[in-house]
């Protein structure tokens, strides 16, 4: 057997292995061992296997050869040190199956053997096997040390099995290892990964701890769990102990927490400690410092710190690029990317994603396409993160077709994130049908939509049937417990007008957050239940922290209720909480405008630093609604001077106000500006123009404007019908009505007022009856006072007064004064004194102070020679104080 070992002629591989061992022996000053000197050497060749460094870096074939030697020599059974080293060698080359086989062959494994097995399983991510080995060790009642506990806690942490970890930590406490830093750090990491920072802190403070690793574990765990204030508080406590010296790992984590919170002053104080400790040269600390300044928007100091770094890695470059993109300095972000490429630093997918985020505006579309070409060139296009960023970037600039191309080029369609981004892109661009089709495609490929894709689909659904189907899917898949999905379900039911279903879903949610509450409040406010929205806000106020979104939602309810008192209270509360007018300015502006407090609205408007299109439009609309058209026009002029883009809402408000004034010249100028902006095809603008020209008597211009509207909506059709009717063009009005029905748009109650008015002006009695009955039977619209008035006027003008009287008596609602006044006017025209007396008496009984009814009745009595009654009526007028109409006069 001795001749077999290290004999150069037996096996070439064995000879190479022999030379490796001889070389290793030389490093520790052991003389070379030749074949003939085996017995004369003081150190046997097999003893070299007991030195761990001699077995590092072996291949699988070489490791098996050593295994064979140990078997042949019998050392595998007798030499536990050599066996442990071989076991470690198998774990290093990721052959745990061989390690387990060897482990079973060792007759009496010691604690080192067990620890090596647990550690090897951890290294190869076999964490369940780590737990199984530990359980076997525990059952054999082997004396366990801190390395065992630390390793098995690492396995529990990777598996996020808190219950197992707590069992182990119980043994730790029982056996007196709770003060060991390695063990405590493992338990802290377990609690941190399981999002139980309170328990992690309790482990840290169970006993006085001077181990920096444990403190670092808490700081890092808190940052990973987005509990950044906990991280900074722990860091501050750590710095208060003289025996605890933060290292570069501590500093980088604390600076990351400051960056997440945008706490620049706190971060600067940490940077001071970094400089004092001499850790500023560390690349991770330097990168965290750059990221801090970038996240806080201080790009000057971020660049300054970046240039001071001795070595800049890809993370540092990405932090700078992301900072410029976040601040909106997109040109600088692209320039930094170009500089990065010149220095030879390779980009990663995060760098590319940051640049694509910077290019997500229309003005940077050319740069975006160039970066897309660069992505194709360097081979990042297959990366799922980059692919998602491409889809999102193109969708934000409105190039949804390019998003579709990027999605279609995806090779790995099993990535649910890619589908999510494409569905979100469709949702943001209101491409409802394609989003639904894509969701169905996911299901057909066996890819289950997650909370992101489900929330995106639910956010755009306005079909109650489809919405309920998706609701059922969330119940079956368990997604309904996700807060974002739950909020989307509430929003979906609210959009569909099912507020009871929305409230029911809200009450069934196990977990509620600010977004959920805000969604419910906004749903009530938007759908005519503003009082319930306010009540819900008060309930939320008792249990949750109010944020800008919830304040915006309740201010919307105040606008609907026109409750200026409550609106001012909420404004005061927002001021005390530190919310400035910039964050909730739009909602405050809308509330004050809707409530008629235009002075307060102007104050809020001037306090908003960045006045956008919505801010201007809201205030202009408020002035227009109050008839202050001159002030509205001045504000509109300022809007043009500031270069703020004009939308159809602003133009419609101005035109609607001009319609009631004799300002045709200004209206024509605005029409020219509308054409210049390309808004003449918008239905809301077209409707306002039609109304304006109609009020000014230009029915021909109304017709021209109507024909320019690309897709007329119900308001546009109704406005055109009413314009024709008011100008005595009943036939044209009815023709437009028929065209509207052919286009698939159903009329509402206001449309039928215009249709009946057209019949009235044209004397089309039978057509009037037909449309009146059609309104009830075909469209389920209950007639209101305006509809009945039109019919009475139609019958009265046609001289069918008795029929008009019967029509009034058969009404399903109580006739108002306008109906009787209409009948009275028709009686005067056709000389029906008896019916006229009845109508006048009805008016006087409802409104005793109406002088017009007394005069009309007096004139009727005078026409038939009833002078005694005339005198009596005149006397009654004086008794009740009804004044005659003031006579006209002139200077001529």
């Amino acid at each position: 057997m001795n001749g077999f070992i290290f004999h150069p002629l037996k096996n070439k591989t064995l000879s190479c292995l022999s030379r490796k061992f001889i070389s290793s022996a030389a490093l520790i000053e052991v003389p070379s061992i030749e074949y003939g000197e085996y017995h004369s050497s003081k150190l046997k060749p097999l003893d070299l296997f007991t030195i761990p460094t001699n077995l590092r870096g072996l291949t699988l074939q070489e490791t098996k050869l050593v295994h064979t030697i140990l078997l042949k020599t019998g050392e595998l059974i007798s030499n536990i040190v050599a066996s442990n080293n071989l076991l470690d060698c198998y774990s290093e080359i990721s052959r745990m199956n061989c390690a387990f086989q060897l482990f079973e062959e060792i007759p009496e494994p010691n604690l080192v053997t067990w620890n090596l097995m647990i550690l090897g399983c951890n290294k190869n991510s076999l964490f369940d096997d780590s737990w199984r080995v530990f359980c076997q060790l525990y059952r054999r009642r082997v004396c366990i040390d801190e390395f065992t506990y630390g390793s098995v806690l690492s396995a529990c942490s990777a598996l996020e099995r808190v219950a197992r970890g707590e069992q182990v930590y119980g043994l730790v406490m029982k056996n007196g290892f709770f003060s060991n830093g390695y063990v405590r750090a493992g338990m802290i990491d377990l609690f941190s990964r399981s999002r139980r920072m309170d328990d992690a802190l309790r482990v840290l403070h169970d006993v006085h701890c001077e181990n920096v690793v444990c403190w670092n574990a808490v700081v890092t765990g808190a940052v990973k769990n987005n509990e950044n204030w906990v991280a900074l508080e722990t860091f501050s406590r750590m710095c208060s102990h003289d025996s605890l010296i933060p290292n570069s790992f501590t500093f980088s984590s604390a600076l990351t927490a400051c960056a997440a919170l945008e706490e620049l002053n706190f971060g600067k104080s940490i940077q001071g400690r970094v400089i004092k400790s001499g850790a500023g040269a560390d690349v991770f600390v330097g990168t965290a410092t750059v990221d801090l300044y970038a996240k806080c928007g201080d790009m000057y100091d971020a660049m300054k710190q970046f240039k001071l770094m001795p070595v800049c890695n890809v993370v540092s470059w990405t932090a700078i690029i992301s900072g410029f993109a976040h601040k909106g300095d997109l040109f600088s972000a692209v320039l930094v990317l170009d500089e990065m490429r010149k220095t030879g630093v390779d980009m990663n997918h995060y760098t590319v994603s940051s640049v694509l985020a910077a290019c997500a505006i229309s003005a940077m579309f050319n740069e975006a396409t160039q970066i897309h070409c660069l992505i194709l060139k360097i081979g990042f296009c297959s990366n799922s993160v980059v692919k998602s960023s491409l889809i999102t970037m193109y969708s934000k600039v409105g190039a949804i077709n390019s998003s579709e191309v990027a999605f279609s080029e995806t090779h790995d369609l099993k990535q649910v994130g890619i589908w999510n981004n494409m569905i979100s892109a469709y949702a943001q661009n209101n491409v409802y049908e394609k989003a639904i089709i894509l969701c169905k495609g996911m299901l057909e490929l066996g890819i289950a939509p997650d909370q992101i894709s489900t929330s995106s689909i639910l956010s755009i659904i306005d079909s109650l049937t489809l919405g309920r189907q998706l609701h059922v899917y969330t119940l079956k898949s368990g997604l309904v417990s996700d807060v974002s999905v739950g909020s989307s379900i509430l929003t979906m039911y609210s959009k569909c007008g099912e507020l009871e279903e929305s409230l029911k879903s809200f009450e069934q949610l196990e977990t509620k957050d600010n977004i959920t509450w805000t969604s419910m409040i906004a749903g009530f406010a938007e759908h005519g239940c503003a009082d319930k929205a306010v009540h819900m806000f008060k309930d939320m106020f008792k249990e949750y922290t109010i944020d800008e979104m919830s304040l915006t939602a309740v201010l919307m309810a105040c606008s609907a209720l026109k409750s200026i008192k409550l609106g001012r209270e909420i404004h005061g509360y927002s001021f005390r909480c530190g919310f400035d007018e910039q964050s909730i300015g739009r909602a405050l502006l809308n509330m004050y405008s809707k409530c008629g407090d235009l002075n307060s609205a102007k104050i809020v408007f001037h306090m908003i630093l960045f006045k956008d299109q919505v801010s201007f439009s809201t205030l202009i609309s408020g002035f227009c609604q109050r008839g202050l058209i001159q002030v509205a026009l001045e504000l509109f002029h300022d809007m043009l001077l500031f270069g703020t883009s004009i939308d159809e809402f602003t133009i419609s408000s101005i035109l609607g106000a001009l319609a009631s004034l004799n300002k045709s010249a200004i209206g024509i100028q605005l029409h020219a500006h509308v054409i210049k902006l390309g808004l003449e095809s918008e239905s809301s603008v077209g409707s306002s123009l039609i109304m304006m020209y109609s009020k000014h008597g230009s029915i021909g211009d109304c017709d021209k404007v109507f024909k320019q509207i690309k897709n007329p909506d119900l308001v546009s059709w109704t406005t055109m019908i009413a314009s024709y009717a008011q100008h005595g063009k009943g036939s044209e009005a009815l023709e437009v009505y028929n065209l509207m029905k052919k286009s698939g748009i159903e009329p509402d109650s206001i449309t039928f007022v215009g249709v009946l008015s057209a019949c009235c002006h044209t004397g089309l009695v039978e057509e009037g009856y037909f449309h009146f009955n059609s309104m009830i039977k075909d469209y389920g619209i209950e007639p209101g006072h305006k509809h009945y008035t039109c019919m009475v006027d139609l019958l009265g003008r046609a001289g069918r007064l008795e029929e008009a009287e019967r029509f009034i008596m058969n009404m399903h609602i109580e006739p108002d004064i306008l109906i009787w006044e209409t009948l009275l006017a028709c009686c005067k025209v056709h000389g029906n004194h008896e019916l006229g007396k009845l109508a006048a008496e009805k008016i006087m009984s409802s409104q005793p102070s109406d002088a017009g009814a007394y005069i009309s009745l007096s004139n009727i009595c005078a026409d038939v020679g009833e002078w005694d009654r005339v005198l009596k009526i005149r006397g009654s007028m004086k008794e009740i104080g009804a004044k005659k109409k003031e006579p006209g006069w002139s200077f001529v």
Side-chain angles (χ1 to χ4, degrees), residues 785-840:
H785 285 101
K786 289 185 179 181
H787 303 105
Y788 284 116
T789 302
C790 287
M791 287 300 298
V792 171
D793 193 24
L794 173 61
L795 294 171
R797 288 187 184 214
R800 297 159 68 165
L801 297 175
E802 289 78 9
E803 188 176 347
E805 181 188 8
R806 290 195 301 271
F807 183 84
I808 294 172
M809 297 305 174
N810 293 325
M811 284 171 52
H812 295 292
I813 58 177
E814 190 70 24
D816 61 359
I817 293 176
L818 182 59
I819 292 176
W820 290 115
E821 286 177 345
T822 303
L823 180 63
L824 176 60
C826 293
C827 289
K828 288 168 64 178
V829 171
H830 294 283
N832 191 327
H833 302 118
E834 293 302 321
L835 190 55
K837 291 178 183 178
L838 173 65

Side-chain angles (χ1 to χ4, degrees), residues 839-878:
E841 288 171 357
K842 291 286 187 182
I843 296 169
M844 288 187 295
S845 63
S846 298
Q847 283 192 355
S849 60
D850 189 349
Y854 285 94
I855 293 170
S856 296
L857 181 58
S858 174
N859 291 336
I860 291 172
C861 292
D863 288 342
V864 295
E866 296 180 359
W867 297 106
D868 293 339
R869 192 170 183 187
V870 170
L871 293 174
K872 186 178 180 181
I873 293 169
R874 297 288 180 174
S876 300
M877 285 182 67
K878 291 180 181 180

Side-chain angles (χ1 to χ4, degrees), residues 291-344:
D291 188 52
L292 166 69
Y293 284 109
K295 290 276 178 64
C296 294
D298 189 351
M299 292 309 300
Y300 174 80
D301 283 331
M303 284 298 298
K304 184 178 177 181
Q305 294 297 323
F306 179 74
K307 291 177 180 178
L308 290 173
M309 290 181 65
V311 178
C312 297
N313 59 9
V314 63
V315 182
S316 313
W317 285 95
T318 303
I320 286 290
I321 293 170
S322 179
F324 278 124
H326 182 70
K327 197 172 182 181
D329 190 352
L330 313 178
F331 185 71
S332 296
V334 176
L335 285 180
V336 172
L337 174 68
D338 187 55
E339 188 67 25
M340 176 183 175
R341 294 187 65 215
K342 289 178 181 177
T343 58

Side-chain angles (χ1 to χ4, degrees), residues 413-639:
L413 286 175
K414 294 295 182 182
Q415 292 284 343
V416 69
I418 301 294
W419 294 84
N420 290 343
N421 281 88
M422 195 64 232
I423 290 173
S424 297
Y426 282 137
Q428 290 168 5
N429 288 271
N430 296 319
V431 187
Y432 171 84
E433 295 81 3
K434 288 187 177 181
I436 300 297
I437 292 171
L438 203 62
C439 185
K440 291 180 179 177
M442 288 181 71
L443 294 170
E444 289 172 359
L445 289 175
I447 304 172
D450 62 3
Q451 63 268 28
I452 299 175
S453 49
T454 306
S455 298
S456 298
I457 292 291
L458 284 167
S459 66
I460 60 174
I461 283 178
D462 55 4
S463 168
L464 186 58
T465 303
L466 185 57
R468 280 176 173 159
Q469 290 177 0
L470 269 176
H471 189 182
V472 171
Y473 170 78
T474 62
L475 290 169
K476 288 183 177 179
S477 59
L479 291 174
V480 72
S481 59
D482 183 83
V483 177
S484 61
V485 174
S487 299
S488 298
I489 291 171
L490 308 181
T491 305
M492 180 272 296
Y493 280 123
S494 296
K495 284 174 66 176
C496 296
E498 295 289 334
L499 292 180
E500 290 185 4
E501 290 283 348
S502 183
L503 182 59
K504 184 179 178 181
S505 300
F506 173 81
E507 292 172 346
Q508 289 176 347
L509 285 176
E510 297 179 3
T511 305
K512 300 180 182 69
D513 63 357
N514 278 36
I515 297 176
T516 315
W517 280 89
T518 302
S519 299
M520 200 66 236
I521 293 169
F524 279 131
E526 291 172 359
H527 291 83
C529 297
D531 53 341
K532 291 184 179 179
V534 172
H535 181 74
M536 179 159 281
F537 175 78
K538 292 178 180 178
D539 290 340
M540 178 186 178
F541 188 82
K542 297 174 184 176
E543 301 181 22
Y544 290 82
T545 302
I546 304 300
D547 58 10
E548 292 97 330
M549 292 189 300
S550 50
L551 287 175
T552 300
V554 74
L555 283 170
M556 189 192 312
C558 293
S559 302
L561 293 171
K562 292 184 170 50
S563 175
I564 188 68
K565 181 177 180 295
L566 181 59
R568 284 173 177 162
E569 289 177 359
I570 292 170
H571 189 182
Y573 173 78
S574 68
F575 185 79
R576 289 196 304 273
C577 292
F579 300 122
D580 56 17
E581 278 72 13
Q582 195 62 40
S583 59
I584 60 171
R586 289 181 181 178
L588 286 170
L589 196 58
N590 183 61
M591 184 271 296
Y592 282 124
S593 297
K594 291 285 179 65
C595 294
D597 188 354
L598 295 178
N599 290 328
S600 297
K602 282 195 294 185
I603 293 171
V604 172
F605 178 77
H606 290 303
M607 293 180 72
I608 297 174
L609 296 178
F610 303 103
K611 299 174 180 63
D612 58 2
Q613 183 186 85
V614 178
S615 305
F616 273 103
S617 298
T618 303
L619 191 56
I620 288 172
S621 176
F623 284 128
C624 290
Q625 289 171 4
R626 294 288 165 176
L628 301 173
I629 185 62
Q630 189 62 40
V631 184
L633 286 172
E634 290 174 2
L635 191 60
F636 180 72
H637 185 256
D638 292 340
M639 191 176 182

